[in-house]
Amino acid sequence: CVLTGRWINDLGSNMTIGALNGKGEFTGSYHTAVTATTNEIQLSPLQGSQHRINQKSQPTFGFTVNWSFSDSITVFTGQCFVDENGKEILKTMWLLRSSVDSIKDDWKATRVGINVFTRLRSQK
Ligand code: BTN
């Protein structure tokens, strides 16, 4: 299971992950289909790393999206699987941290969820 490439998740969000370096680190971009804000959605950068490259066929990984159109950050953690049909699938969980004006609002600043990504094939 290879992280590099274009992926779409169950919300319709798209991401592109670039080539991994020798340490398993990667960068990419994320176009979310949804937002917790009223801001206009824009392409946002992501940075992450994959565990023990070349040693496991279904690696774990994590990445951070630093949203360019809001003050929020999302961290994703997951595993790259090959399903029974040989299809690659990323099973992830995420935490979305929003910015709040006061420490009194800290309790409501973090959302949690799951996303499932499948590989986007280039349209012909
Ligand atoms: C924001 O609303 O401040 C930034 C966009 C957050 C989008 C979230 S991240 C977790 C979930 N999965 C997605 O693909 N989009 C939403």
Side-chain angles (χ1 to χ4, degrees):
C1 190
V2 174
L3 284 180
T4 301
R6 295 175 65 209
W7 300 88
I8 185 166
N9 72 16
D10 51 298
L11 291 169
S13 299
N14 283 258
M15 70 170 173
T16 302
I17 293 181
L20 274 62
N21 71 15
K23 294 175 177 174
E25 297 160 348
F26 56 85
T27 59
S29 55
Y30 201 106
H31 192 263
T32 181
V34 297
T35 174
T37 71
T38 55
N39 303 341
E40 186 187 335
I41 290 170
Q42 287 174 26
L43 192 66
S44 300
L46 71 82
Q47 275 188 300
S49 58
Q50 179 191 299
H51 205 277
R52 276 202 286 249
I53 33 170
N54 301 329
Q55 285 191 34
K56 291 261 183 217
S57 58
Q58 299 193 118
T60 55
F61 61 89
F63 62 86
T64 300
V65 186
N66 189 337
W67 301 106
S68 56
F69 61 93
S70 79
D71 296 329
S72 309
I73 289 269
T74 301
V75 291
F76 287 83
T77 185
Q79 188 167 353
C80 189
F81 289 107
V82 180
D83 73 10
E84 60 271 23
N85 303 312
K87 231 180 79 175
E88 291 167 301
I89 182 165
L90 308 181
K91 297 278 265 178
T92 70
M93 287 195 73
W94 52 263
L95 292 171
L96 166 59
R97 174 69 195 204
S98 299
S99 173
V100 288
D101 290 335
S102 156
I103 197 170
K104 287 185 175 171
D105 291 329
D106 179 69
W107 64 270
K108 62 177 176 182
T110 307
R111 292 173 170 85
V112 62
I114 62 171
N115 277 138
V116 180
F117 294 80
T118 54
R119 196 176 281 284
L120 247 184
R121 292 277 159 221
S122 55
Q123 294 111 317
K124 296 232 172 82

